[in-house]
Amino acid sequence: MAQLPDETTLKQWGWGISVLPALLWILSWFALKFVLPAFPSLVTTFGASHHELQLSIVAFLLCYALTQPFWGSLSERYGRRPILLIALTICALGSLVVVVSQSMEVYMLGRCLEGVGAGAISPVCRAVFVDSYERGVLAKKVAVISSIVALMPAVAPLLAGYMVVQLGWRSLFVFFGMVTVVLMILTAWRLPETSRQDERPGIKVLLEQYAMVFKHRTFWQATGVYALLTGGLIAYYAATPFWYVFHFKISESIFSYFSLLSALCYVAGTFGAKHFIKIHSIGWVQRRGLLLLLGYAVAIWALSVMPSSIALLVLMASGFGFLAGWMMPSASAIAMTSLPSAAGAASAMLTLTIFGLSSGLSWVTMKIDVSNLFAPVAYFSGLALLAGLLNWKMRPDSIT
């Protein structure tokens, strides 16, 4: 296991280690959902069908997810900073392709490039933190950062909705590309290289690290809890234009307000978890989470017999958001610190699982008929029960 940097080194690195990875993490989550308000405009501009719009979301998420092991392995072999710079370049190139696109096919190509580039941010930045902080500090930092990035699925479409109305849908990608370039410059300037060159593994060692990850039961249990809840919430956000704009006829400039409450509940969950981790332990939070998951899964079935409404859908999603926020810091910390000698591989497989699952779940949520509440209730309660089962199966000694 690599030695963690001391307090003096962390102070010397300054905001380059404490703030910049968080900004990059926010960018990656912004990339996921800022495009949603542009969907009605894409129908007008390209004559896109609902199926093509849904396919563009799934394609982005798959590119985002499936490149995780690739980027994670490269960051282990060649270092964190150079891989981030390459990935951010690809992401900016994707934005340029979207801006000049004249067909839905070219638009989707640009979005896929953005997904490939943005896909490096989560595993590499997570590995940067694992390189730098012990489990308790890592859990608290991840809680704070995640509470901020959790607002992106709501804040990004809100900002984007007004930009679409005032400046047109292409302005979204001009803005995103410019922010990506600025962060790329800051990464080259201030992000420290946290992996030590004398400890970077060869191909054989990388394969052995992935083998370790695949065999590690605690890692997969914690990752499963994280992926089912956070991935399920991402899939809900992907479905919001289809639920609220196309079904309930809500304006594309305001429908994201309905996602804001679930995002705020996610933030409340993460801060609550952070507070109790400080007072008690990661394991205490994880075990109480089991009771919350089971209670939620049972309680929302009472809603299934009620007439469908925006208020009830938002209520269910907000409760689910709180659960995802509560479980995320401890599940993430357990998963990542269970394999400290394979941080890059573990981080890559964690994010691959989250976003790979979210891409599949997005295809499900975008097809859900919200004219009645049975299907949404089954979706949210089913994920909560599966997460609860994995949480219950986790070894007690892994979450003390």
Side-chain angles (χ1 to χ4, degrees):
M1 178 178 174
Q3 184 177 357
L4 296 174
D6 57 28
E7 288 295 325
T8 302
T9 302
L10 290 174
K11 288 180 181 179
Q12 290 174 346
W13 286 346
W15 63 268
I17 190 65
S18 60
V19 177
L20 185 54
L23 294 177
L24 292 168
W25 218 328
I26 291 170
L27 177 73
S28 70
W29 277 71
F30 190 89
L32 292 172
K33 302 304 174 191
F34 80 101
V35 69
L36 297 181
F39 279 5
S41 298
L42 294 178
V43 173
T44 302
T45 303
F46 299 136
S49 65
H50 285 192
H51 176 78
E52 288 175 317
L53 295 175
Q54 293 165 357
L55 187 60
S56 70
I57 292 178
V58 173
F60 175 90
L61 288 171
L62 283 175
C63 289
Y64 191 100
L66 295 177
T67 54
Q68 306 290 324
F70 172 75
W71 290 123
S73 298
L74 289 179
S75 77
E76 288 288 334
R77 185 72 181 88
Y78 299 105
R80 316 299 187 202
R81 183 168 59 181
I83 297 308
L84 279 173
L85 291 173
I86 293 171
L88 289 169
T89 301
I90 295 172
C91 194
L93 177 61
S95 296
L96 178 61
V97 171
V98 173
V99 169
V100 302
S101 63
Q102 297 299 319
S103 69
M104 194 64 187
E105 291 75 15
V106 176
Y107 165 85
M108 290 180 65
L109 172 62
R111 283 294 285 165
C112 286
L113 286 172
E114 286 182 336
V116 169
I121 294 174
S122 184
V124 177
C125 288
R126 198 183 301 271
V128 166
F129 283 133
V130 173
D131 292 339
S132 307
Y133 302 107
E134 54 87 21
R135 177 185 282 191
V137 176
L138 176 65
K140 294 171 187 175
K141 286 191 173 292
V142 169
V144 173
I145 294 170
S146 295
S147 67
I148 297 172
V149 301
L151 294 173
M152 288 302 103
V155 173
L158 283 175
L159 174 62
Y162 288 108
M163 291 181 67
V164 168
V165 172
Q166 299 297 325
L167 302 172
W169 69 268
R170 295 182 195 272
S171 66
L172 303 181
F173 296 92
V174 173
F175 173 76
F176 181 75
M178 291 174 62
V179 172
T180 301
V181 170
V182 169
L183 288 177
M184 182 168 55
I185 294 170
L186 291 177
T187 298
W189 176 38
R190 290 303 304 263
L191 184 72
E193 181 51 67
T194 58
S195 68
R196 293 174 53 179
Q197 189 169 3
D198 59 349
E199 295 176 345
R200 292 175 187 170
I203 299 299
K204 181 180 178 181
V205 175
L206 286 174
L207 293 176
E208 291 173 349
Q209 288 180 350
Y210 276 101
M212 289 170 55
V213 173
F214 280 115
K215 295 176 182 178
H216 203 287
R217 186 178 69 173
T218 300
F219 170 83
W220 285 110
Q221 288 168 336
T223 295
V225 172
Y226 192 168
L228 285 166
L229 297 175
T230 298
L233 191 62
I234 291 171
Y236 160 72
Y237 291 136
T240 52
F242 300 94
W243 289 14
Y244 301 129
V245 177
F246 294 127
H247 181 80
F248 287 105
K249 309 303 180 184
I250 301 299
S251 168
E252 62 266 27
S253 64
I254 65 171
F255 81 93
S256 292
Y257 284 106
F258 300 130
S259 301
L260 186 59
L261 184 57
S262 60
L264 291 174
C265 287
Y266 187 99
V267 172
T270 57
F271 274 104
K274 177 188 174 184
H275 173 74
F276 285 108
I277 286 172
K278 184 176 181 180
I279 295 176
H280 298 286
S281 67
I282 288 175
W284 189 95
V285 168
Q286 199 79 358
R287 287 185 287 269
R288 270 61 183 181
L290 174 60
L291 299 177
L292 293 174
L293 288 166
L294 295 178
Y296 169 84
V298 173
I300 65 170
W301 274 106
L303 303 178
S304 63
V305 298
M306 298 182 182
S308 180
S309 68
I310 292 175
L312 291 178
L313 289 170
V314 170
L315 178 63
M316 281 191 291
S318 299
F320 192 83
F322 179 85
L323 291 174
W326 178 272
M327 299 300 295
M328 182 281 306
S330 53
S332 177
I334 291 167
M336 289 305 304
T337 57
S338 62
L339 289 160
S341 61
S347 181
M349 294 309 299
L350 174 66
T351 47
L352 167 61
T353 305
I354 293 169
F355 292 102
L357 183 60
S358 69
S359 65
L361 291 175
S362 294
W363 191 253
V364 172
T365 56
M366 290 185 290
K367 300 292 186 182
I368 285 178
D369 179 7
V370 293
S371 59
N372 68 77
L373 292 179
F374 180 83
V377 167
Y379 171 76
F380 286 122
S381 65
L383 292 179
L385 286 173
L386 287 173
L389 177 62
L390 286 174
N391 184 72
W392 174 65
K393 284 290 202 178
M394 202 177 300
R395 288 199 308 264
D397 61 342
S398 68
I399 56 175
T400 56

